[in-house]
Amino acid sequence: MRKFYQNKLWRDKLIALRESQGAIVHSVPLAHAEFKEELGMKLVEEANEVYAAQTHQEMVDEIVDVLEAIDCILEFHGIPKEEILKHKEAKLIEYGSYTDHRLVDYVEYPTGSAEEKHCLENPDRYPELCEDLDTDDVNNCCK
């Protein structure tokens, strides 16, 4: 038999299914903290697969996997789905959605604002741009 490295969470019944088809699945039990880490990694994996989906059916399959990962994360943290849905609705009312098809290129925040502080505290996510910004080359950093 040929061996293929997996190193990721599998759905519970998939292990038994593969074994019934002749595979030998080698797995290890995870400690609480390890399981939390793997759930987060599973969500990222499945989100990347949504991004890469080419067909309607692939998109449906991968979104289902994202939702399952989210359900497992909610269960792990003891967060009721209703709480998430209520918070989702509140954010939708306050901030809207992503349906307007607009990408924010960069933002100029007032000095001392909470948003400026947030960006300065997270320079990997929000690099500061030069004062004399050339809009053809927006990735130049001040440093």
Side-chain angles (χ1 to χ4, degrees), residues 50-70:
V50 166
Y51 177 76
Q54 297 292 313
T55 68
H56 176 84
Q57 190 56 54
E58 286 175 349
M59 184 64 70
V60 169
D61 288 343
E62 299 310 334
I63 290 172
V64 165
D65 290 342
V66 165
L67 292 174
E68 182 60 27
I70 290 170

Side-chain angles (χ1 to χ4, degrees), residues 9 36-50 62-63 65-71 73:
L9 290 179
K36 176 184 176 186
E37 177 77 15
E38 291 297 328
L39 283 172
M41 290 171 49
K42 177 54 77 173
L43 180 58
V44 170
E45 172 195 345
E46 299 302 344
N48 283 328
E49 290 178 3
V50 166
E62 299 310 334
I63 290 172
D65 290 342
V66 165
L67 292 174
E68 182 60 27
I70 290 170
D71 285 347
I73 291 168

Side-chain angles (χ1 to χ4, degrees), residues 88 91-93 95-104:
K88 178 185 183 291
K91 284 185 93 168
L92 183 64
I93 290 167
Y95 301 113
S97 185
Y98 306 108
T99 57
D100 67 353
H101 299 233
R102 293 174 56 106
L103 175 85
V104 174

Side-chain angles (χ1 to χ4, degrees), residues 14-26:
L14 186 57
I15 293 172
L17 176 64
R18 294 295 182 255
E19 288 176 337
S20 74
Q21 297 168 337
I24 301 171
V25 178
H26 301 268

